[in-house]
Amino acid sequence: MLIVNHLYKSFGGVLIVEDLSLRVDAGEVVALTGMNGAGKTTTLRCIVGAEDRDSGDISLDGQTLDERDPETRRRVCALLDDWAWFSDMTVREHLIMFAQAHGVEDKAVEAALLDLGLIQLADRLPGTLSSGQTRRFGLAQALVRPWDVLILDEPEQRLDGEGREWLGRYLRVCAEADRSVLMASHDPELQQASGARVIPVSVTGR
Amino acid sequence: MNGVDALKSGQADREARSQQDPASGDTYIVAVGVLVIGAMLVSSVARGFALKADVLVPVAGWFPWMLTVAWMAGILQLCRALGPAFAGRDYVRWVLPTPIDRARVLRRNFWLTSTICAALGALGGVVVLIAAMPTGVTLTAGILAPLVGAAAGLALHQLALFGQQRWLTPGRTRNLAGALLVAACVLATIGIRRRTGLELPPPGTVIVATVGVIVLLIYGWSLTQTRNWLRRIPVSRLIPGGDLSAAVSGSAIMLDAELLTIRSDRQLLRQHASFAMRANVGPTLLGFVVRDLTGCVRRWTVVASRLALVPGVWVVGSIFGPSMGAFCCAAVTYVVASTAGSKLRTWLGSSALWRVFPQHPTKITVALLAVPAVAAVGTGLLSAVGGGTKADVGIAVGLAATAAIVRRTYRPPLTMGAMIASPAGPVPVGLMLNVSYGIDLLVVCAAFSVVSNGVSAAICAATCLAWTAYRALPGGIKRPVFRRARDRFLRMGLGTAPRRR
């Protein structure tokens, strides 16, 4: 169970996230919604440690979440929009390296490539993929490694209709397997398809 | 295969592939460049001090201290900018989120930055030694100075690591850095002054030695903890250094500072985005000046860091003479004008902006010239008067620096163009033009101010400024301005109207 208590985050003098508390139970999909600039992405970045928070507690099953702890990195999978890759490694090589670093066998990579329709592109460099294919490549990360909590930042972006449908089904299956998903999303269809509980986030901007 | 082995295997594959790439060649070029620049620096400092040993006497007590503080502050700043441990975004995305040992991933870059700091520290030690003993360096001092410098560089590197892994807050890092700087200065003074036979300054040998021993103990202990420190660095503090190193390597390979400029602009934008709404100063031309000034006030740390170069001009002027002082003054003035004139550069560089504002572009250009021109002239005056040069030279150089930044806004695009044979190999003309455009004007004006009367140089620089500002405006706007001026000229009865076809 992921618990966020009284999270505050500001940039310069402007408060972006003010006193945000939320809870994601095991087997639950939670979607943060709200206007642009409401602080959804910042909240997710604070949770995964990509940004330093000003104050507030974030815990997973009672343990403080700290991305410096290998156990946290083993349990939390984050797919934010800070996209990057090794320019000289193919799609398949990326995923194999990632899977092996998590102690998973290579077979999972082929399955993920098939699942996401990337098998034809597996030997291409990521820089040659379209933006939608790049998004699928990113989602493949979640399929080749074990995790307990999945954090997604607007995963529907740049995906075609088929991809969104697949994503909705996938998230629902994950929840059924007692895993937790927290995402920021503007897509009501995806929220519905994944059976997400919606938490509206409002703009602070002080 | 476990995580680390997988990573190593991936790295080996990539390195094998990149053998055909010029990466190793780039490293070689960078290393040779650093060596050549270091040798030139040491040689010029040594020659300059040897030539002007008599002039050095009045500043002998201060200069080594100032140099030590500036050098060490520079190393610390470099360490903090780079991390000192850093990781590229590819590693942050694909390697660091995995449970593998973070220290093993980061240590390669960490040791790279520590080597750079040690090398810079050793170079600094030699430069400080030459500054302190201009008449001749003894063998013992010549061996000790780079060693002490390298140790100081490594200590600062370790200190920056404390800050990066949250063990120290930024405020504590600054305080500790200040204490270490003082300790290092005093220790350096012991070594240097002993050789010159001068008395030690207070607080005395015992306290200084105690501080030195404490610093060494802390450093030794922290070295043993490096692996733990590296494990404790949050990923959010690894990204800025990785971005900087990518920008630096990109800029070095492309011979272009554009990537660094883009990075610095993004950083400023992020900083500006956090400011509260600014007060409405109205659409008047004065409003543009006020906005420009507000921008400078908001970036006061950047402006102050540029102004901190002014004492360096004084020292150079007092050691190498007024001519060298004038050129140094021109360089510092250009840097200040460039910082204060960021809005002017943006304005002149974008034709889209010319269509946005209802005011005439000429008027806006004049309004935006005000702040950089005043800042440049002020800096020029301050540098010139403090360095013993004439005030006229300061004014001339200030106006020339403003003209130079305006001229750079319409520099030719970056192309290699024709190649000219030179003793150093073929030189691409297009690249040289792109790099030197604007700075050429500054150099010429500074040279003119040295060889001529300062007033005539100031008039010449003002004329250059007016001409470059006129040239920077788009053609469709220039013509009416020129026509109006010509008509006024004709109405005054001076000259004849051109014949119409």
Side-chain angles (χ1 to χ4, degrees):
Chain A
M1 178 199 311
L2 176 72
I3 296 177
V4 177
N5 261 332
H6 307 297
L7 180 69
Y8 284 83
K9 174 66 188 173
S10 57
F11 291 107
V14 182
L15 199 58
I16 303 296
V17 180
E18 184 183 15
D19 198 16
L20 185 123
S21 298
L22 61 89
R23 169 187 170 134
V24 187
D25 287 323
E28 190 182 25
V29 179
V30 169
L32 300 178
T33 62
M35 291 168 64
N36 294 134
K40 303 181 293 295
T41 299
T42 305
T43 303
L44 297 183
R45 290 180 67 82
C46 287
I47 291 172
V48 302
E51 296 282 355
D52 296 336
R53 56 184 183 270
D54 294 346
S55 64
D57 301 318
I58 301 168
S59 62
L60 181 61
D61 293 339
Q63 296 289 316
T64 301
L65 208 63
D66 182 353
E67 60 86 26
R68 293 175 294 179
D69 179 9
E71 187 55 28
T72 298
R73 299 203 291 270
R74 194 171 284 122
R75 298 187 63 190
V76 178
C77 175
L79 302 176
L80 305 181
D81 213 16
D82 47 356
W83 198 234
W85 49 73
F86 294 99
S87 57
D88 50 1
M89 283 174 75
T90 64
V91 169
R92 181 181 274 118
E93 285 168 344
H94 271 91
L95 295 175
I96 288 176
M97 184 185 76
F98 198 64
Q100 285 177 343
H102 278 279
V104 176
E105 288 188 17
D106 298 0
K107 280 184 286 183
V109 171
E110 296 305 314
L113 288 168
L114 271 174
D115 246 18
L116 282 158
L118 289 171
I119 197 76
Q120 305 290 336
L121 311 168
D123 293 322
R124 277 171 55 178
L125 296 175
T128 62
L129 302 182
S130 74
S131 62
Q133 289 165 342
T134 306
R135 172 60 79 171
R136 284 170 182 258
F137 173 40
L139 288 170
Q141 274 191 1
L143 273 67
V144 299
R145 56 160 288 182
W147 50 265
D148 292 332
V149 177
L150 179 62
I151 311 275
L152 297 165
D153 187 15
E154 300 188 16
E156 73 276 8
Q157 291 294 320
R158 299 193 288 272
L159 280 183
D160 53 21
E162 194 187 328
R164 289 181 188 209
E165 209 174 291
W166 173 88
L167 183 63
R169 281 202 313 274
Y170 173 69
L171 295 181
R172 189 178 277 273
V173 169
C174 289
E176 284 166 8
D178 255 6
R179 299 201 277 182
S180 314
V181 178
L182 174 63
M183 63 178 174
S185 172
H186 291 290
D187 185 3
E189 283 181 23
L190 176 66
Q191 292 160 16
Q192 201 174 3
S194 60
R197 175 164 63 90
V198 175
I199 298 179
V201 181
S202 55
V203 178
T204 307
R206 287 200 275 124
Chain B
M1 189 185 282
N2 67 24
V4 176
D5 290 338
L7 179 65
K8 277 187 175 171
S9 156
Q11 271 179 343
D13 284 351
R14 285 190 295 117
E15 277 166 14
R17 259 182 243 173
S18 64
Q19 274 178 356
Q20 294 155 352
D21 297 342
S24 53
D26 295 339
T27 315
Y28 168 75
I29 289 168
V30 170
V32 170
V34 169
L35 275 176
V36 170
I37 291 170
M40 282 168 62
L41 186 67
V42 169
S43 154
S44 61
V45 169
R47 196 179 306 148
F49 283 118
L51 285 172
K52 293 285 176 183
D54 49 338
V55 187
L56 183 68
V57 174
V59 290
W62 285 98
F63 190 53
W65 287 78
M66 285 164 61
L67 208 56
T68 307
V69 170
W71 203 280
M72 294 184 77
I75 292 177
L76 185 66
Q77 191 58 35
L78 177 75
C79 283
R80 289 187 60 207
L82 277 174
F86 63 89
R89 284 188 180 264
D90 40 9
Y91 273 81
V92 169
R93 195 73 183 83
W94 288 95
V95 179
L96 297 182
T98 63
I100 63 173
D101 184 3
R102 188 167 283 184
R104 293 183 70 174
V105 179
L106 295 178
R107 65 183 175 188
R108 188 174 163 184
N109 284 339
F110 177 77
W111 291 120
L112 173 74
T113 53
S114 68
T115 310
I116 291 171
C117 286
L120 285 175
L123 185 63
V126 173
V127 172
V128 169
L129 179 70
I130 294 169
M133 302 173 75
T135 49
V137 178
T138 60
L139 182 65
T140 321
I143 295 168
L144 273 180
L147 289 178
V148 171
L154 287 173
L156 288 168
H157 182 261
Q158 204 67 18
L159 183 71
L161 181 64
F162 289 166
Q164 192 182 19
Q165 55 90 47
R166 291 183 182 161
W167 189 71
L168 286 176
T169 59
R172 278 185 197 162
T173 311
R174 271 194 299 274
N175 293 342
L176 196 54
L180 271 178
L181 275 174
V182 172
C185 286
V186 175
L187 280 173
T189 313
I190 295 174
I192 292 164
R193 294 298 181 218
R194 279 251 168 108
R195 310 306 305 174
T196 53
L198 293 177
E199 287 298 316
L200 269 177
T205 318
V206 177
I207 296 174
V208 167
T210 313
V211 170
V213 168
I214 291 170
V215 168
L216 282 176
L217 282 177
I218 292 174
Y219 180 58
W221 168 74
S222 68
L223 266 187
T224 61
Q225 298 295 316
T226 300
R227 201 181 170 87
N228 282 338
W229 297 145
L230 288 177
R231 276 195 199 110
R232 291 180 51 79
I233 300 174
V235 76
S236 58
R237 298 195 181 188
L238 293 169
I239 296 172
D243 285 354
L244 178 66
S245 79
V248 168
S249 88
S251 293
I253 291 165
M254 301 295 290
L255 286 177
D256 183 14
E258 201 66 27
L259 285 171
L260 281 175
T261 314
I262 290 169
R263 189 189 171 279
S264 127
D265 284 351
R266 273 190 196 153
Q267 209 166 5
L268 273 178
L269 195 65
R270 206 177 305 146
Q271 197 183 336
H272 286 184
S274 63
F275 285 123
M277 179 67 79
R278 58 186 69 183
N280 185 11
V281 287
T284 60
L285 291 175
L286 186 63
F288 281 96
V289 180
V290 172
R291 281 189 191 94
D292 210 2
L293 205 58
T294 315
C296 286
V297 171
R298 283 176 173 170
R299 287 179 291 130
W300 70 270
T301 48
V302 182
V303 178
S305 67
R306 306 296 188 263
L307 285 173
L309 298 169
V310 170
V313 180
W314 301 342
V315 173
V316 170
S318 67
I319 294 169
F320 295 96
S323 303
M324 189 54 82
F327 281 104
C328 204
C329 169
V332 172
T333 310
Y334 175 77
V335 171
V336 171
S338 189
T339 307
S342 63
K343 276 201 181 61
L344 176 73
R345 287 186 289 131
T346 310
W347 163 253
L348 290 176
S350 163
S351 55
L353 283 175
W354 294 338
R355 292 189 285 273
V356 171
F357 292 97
Q359 289 89 351
H360 196 281
T362 315
K363 291 179 179 170
I364 295 179
T365 305
V366 171
L368 291 177
L369 266 171
V371 171
V374 169
V377 171
T379 310
L381 273 173
L382 194 67
S383 310
V385 174
T389 318
K390 284 189 290 183
D392 303 343
V393 173
I395 295 172
V397 163
L399 291 171
T402 317
I405 62 162
V406 173
R407 186 168 154 84
R408 271 194 82 72
T409 58
Y410 56 87
R411 66 182 184 274
L414 179 61
T415 51
M416 298 306 258
M419 306 292 254
I420 295 176
S422 77
V427 176
V429 175
L431 179 71
M432 294 306 293
L433 262 179
N434 181 275
V435 171
S436 65
Y437 217 75
I439 296 166
D440 50 358
L441 184 66
L442 180 65
V443 172
V444 170
C445 284
F448 187 54
S449 69
V450 169
V451 297
S452 73
N453 178 4
V455 178
S456 58
I459 292 169
C460 174
T463 313
C464 286
L465 176 58
W467 173 244
T468 49
Y470 173 71
R471 274 200 68 191
L473 290 170
I477 294 164
K478 267 192 293 193
R479 232 166 283 125
V481 175
F482 180 67
R483 276 193 196 142
R484 270 200 302 276
R486 190 191 62 199
D487 292 347
R488 201 171 294 165
F489 192 66
L490 290 173
R491 276 200 299 275
M492 288 162 69
L494 304 166
T496 53
R499 287 178 191 169
R500 289 181 189 279
R501 287 184 182 176

